[in-house]
Amino acid sequence: MSLGTKVRLARLFSHPSGKLFGGAVDHFVGYGDVRKGGLADLPGALARVMAGKPDYVSIQPGTARHLWPQYAGKASLVIQAGCFTPDDRISELIATPEDAVRAGADALAVAIPVRGATEGKYIRWLTDSVNAAARYGMPVVAHIYPRDFTDGAKIVFTPDEIAYAARIGYESGVDVIKIGYTGDFESFRETVRTCPVPVVIAGGPKTDTLLGALQQTADAIRAGARGAVVGRNLWGHGDPEKAALAFRGVIHDGLSAQDALAKAGA
């Protein structure tokens, strides 16, 4: 690992807790109706997420170009390179490590789905990005989403599939792996225990309550996760600033879900 990679990783995990709280505002083509929901006003959503003081934010390269300058120095910037829909209607790699360097980013995120006929192409996305990033000392954060095609194409979070996603990540040489929480403590603990690189959890599908999202985050942290990168369960729950403060309480302060919620006044 190069000095540049070590320095940038240290910035991602710079909180004294040694853990990471990230905000994901990088949903792009997978979001749906852009006139509705928490990302309808993208500049406003980013402002609300930043008010919650995340350690890093992952956004698309174009979003960074237009919106990030006012937030420079307030959190680590992570450029999202992956662009896909679960059914492969859209499937593009839209940023390179060089793009991330030019943007002043601390990492390149590469979101990929696995399973299905196109899995090999996505793994190639990831390994090519890792190899290219090494030339710049740029860490790669893999966002890996297993799919099931039994009834259409959907993202799944079963223990076997999440373990498989983690394996794809570290055997591809990435520096941090973002995977969904299985909902099963023991299986997730085993996946994290046997993974040689830091694992953070994805926010996952939007939960019915913020308390539910905080509880699964707390469980994942107890199982060994080094943090969480949260999207829908951050800007999709009422007041994103209070939600962010609650996630910080769970991740950085070790609070229970209930105590973090109360402390944030959410």
Side-chain angles (χ1 to χ4, degrees), residues 46 50 57 59 63-73 75-77 103:
L46 181 57
M50 287 300 296
V57 173
I59 52 179
T63 307
R65 186 174 301 115
H66 294 301
L67 301 180
W68 190 254
Q70 64 183 304
Y71 303 113
S76 288
L77 171 64

Side-chain angles (χ1 to χ4, degrees), residues 33 49 57 60 93 127 163 211 238:
D33 188 343
V49 169
V57 173
Q60 304 289 348
L93 195 61
T127 54
L211 179 62

Side-chain angles (χ1 to χ4, degrees), residues 199-219:
V199 170
V200 299
I201 67 162
K206 184 176 179 297
T207 56
D208 292 334
T209 65
L210 179 56
L211 179 62
L214 293 169
Q215 186 60 62
Q216 70 178 14
T217 301
D219 290 345

Side-chain angles (χ1 to χ4, degrees), residues 5 27 45 57 93 121 129 150 155 169 182 202 205 208 216 227:
T5 302
H27 295 68
V57 173
L93 195 61
K121 177 184 73 173
S129 296
T150 303
I155 305 299
T182 61
D208 292 334
Q216 70 178 14

